[in-house]
């Protein structure tokens, strides 16, 4: 498959990973704060959700994990922790905002995962799976650390929003749409599906036991 403008794609991918790291780190640290973890525990939760999915993706692709190529991702997590600590009282009134950070991280990392997988010349169905892993796996690690049922195993539309975004990305690539428009559209699709599913309580059918 012809992949347009490799340098532009690489730049966009780095920006997405930095923004996604910050968004996910804030989400993870805020969840840790709600559980009354100490500063170190909060940082561990923040870094786990911020780099967990991307690390798993890179290991599966045979690439050096993205956060090992630059200290910027660790700095982003430190900045996220500082924001949560300094503005703790103000942010407490913005509980719904943490859902936004989590959703933004999901969308940003989904796109970054798709782009990196395609850059390694894998077929698009692999890229969609890797995009989902990049976006959702960090949240699974966070929830395990917080002793909660991972959100992707609950009724909420989470990983499916990532997969839907991947399908939109694939369709726009087939139509040779500009990469900037493709990224923006995919981002909006993932975010919109997630928010609409939560607002209108849309969920997948629940498995029922035979008992």
């Amino acid at each position: 498959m012809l992949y347009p403008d490799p340098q532009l794609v690489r730049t966009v991918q780095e920006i997405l990973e930095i923004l996604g790291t910050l968004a996910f780190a804030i989400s993870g640290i805020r969840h840790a704060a709600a559980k009354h973890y100490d500063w170190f525990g909060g940082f561990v939760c923040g870094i786990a959700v911020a780099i967990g999915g991307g690390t798993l993706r890179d290991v599966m692709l045979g690439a050096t994990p993205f956060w090992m190529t630059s200290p910027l991702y660790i700095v982003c997590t430190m900045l996220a922790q500082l924001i949560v600590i300094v503005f703790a009282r103000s942010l407490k009134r913005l509980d719904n905002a943490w859902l936004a950070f989590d959703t933004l991280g999901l969308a940003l990392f989904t796109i970054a995962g798709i782009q990196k997988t395609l850059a390694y010349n894998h077929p698009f169905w692999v890229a969609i799976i890797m995009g989902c892993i990049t976006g959702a796996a960090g949240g699974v690690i966070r929830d395990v650390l917080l002793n909660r049922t991972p959100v992707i195993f609950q009724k909420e539309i989470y990983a499916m929003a990532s997969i839907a975004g991947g399908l939109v990305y694939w369709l726009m690539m087939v139509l040779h749409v500009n990469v900037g428009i493709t990224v923006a559209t995919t981002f909006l699709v993932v975010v919109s599906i997630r928010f609409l599913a939560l607002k209108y309580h849309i969920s997948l059918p629940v498995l029922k036991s035979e008992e």
Side-chain angles (χ1 to χ4, degrees):
M1 175 181 291
L2 179 63
Y3 204 68
D5 245 335
Q7 184 57 47
L8 173 61
V9 170
R10 190 158 37 249
T11 301
V12 171
Q13 179 188 329
E14 290 174 356
I15 293 172
L16 291 172
E17 286 185 335
I18 290 170
L19 293 175
T21 298
L22 183 62
F24 261 163
I26 291 176
S27 169
I29 293 167
R30 181 66 181 95
H31 280 293
K35 286 272 190 174
H36 304 293
Y37 282 26
D38 62 17
W39 286 12
F40 179 74
F43 183 83
V44 169
C45 285
I47 198 71
V49 69
I51 70 172
T55 300
L56 182 57
R57 172 204 65 206
D58 288 346
V59 169
M60 295 175 73
L61 292 177
T64 301
F66 71 102
W67 58 270
M68 296 176 66
T69 62
S70 168
L72 191 55
Y73 302 101
I74 306 296
V75 172
C76 280
T77 305
M78 292 178 176
L79 176 61
Q81 176 127 335
L82 183 63
I83 290 172
V84 174
I85 291 171
V86 173
F87 299 104
R89 290 188 177 181
S90 299
L91 296 176
K92 187 173 179 59
R93 297 191 295 269
L94 301 175
D95 284 340
N96 289 335
W98 305 115
L99 175 63
F101 283 115
D102 194 57
T103 300
L104 293 177
L106 174 67
L108 292 166
F109 270 146
T110 293
I111 298 167
I114 291 171
Q115 290 184 329
K116 189 160 191 175
T117 305
L118 292 176
Y120 275 74
N121 298 315
H122 288 283
F124 218 103
W125 64 270
V126 175
I128 292 174
I129 293 172
M130 288 297 180
C132 183
I133 289 174
T134 308
V140 174
I141 296 171
R142 175 201 64 207
D143 291 338
V144 169
L145 290 174
L146 294 172
N147 196 29
R148 305 190 319 184
T149 301
V151 67
I152 68 168
F153 299 146
Q154 300 178 36
K155 290 196 303 179
E156 290 185 19
I157 300 293
Y158 191 79
M160 289 304 299
S162 175
I163 293 172
L167 292 171
V168 169
Y169 196 107
W170 167 75
L171 177 61
M172 299 189 76
M173 289 297 296
V174 169
L175 297 175
H176 302 290
V177 178
N178 174 273
V179 67
I181 296 174
T182 298
V183 166
T185 303
T186 303
F187 176 85
L188 290 174
V189 166
V190 175
V191 170
S192 297
I193 289 175
R194 176 77 173 133
F195 283 153
L196 288 172
L198 288 169
K199 180 176 181 180
Y200 295 106
H201 306 289
I202 302 170
S203 63
L204 296 176
V206 177
L207 288 172
K208 298 185 181 298
S209 170
E210 294 181 0
E211 297 178 1

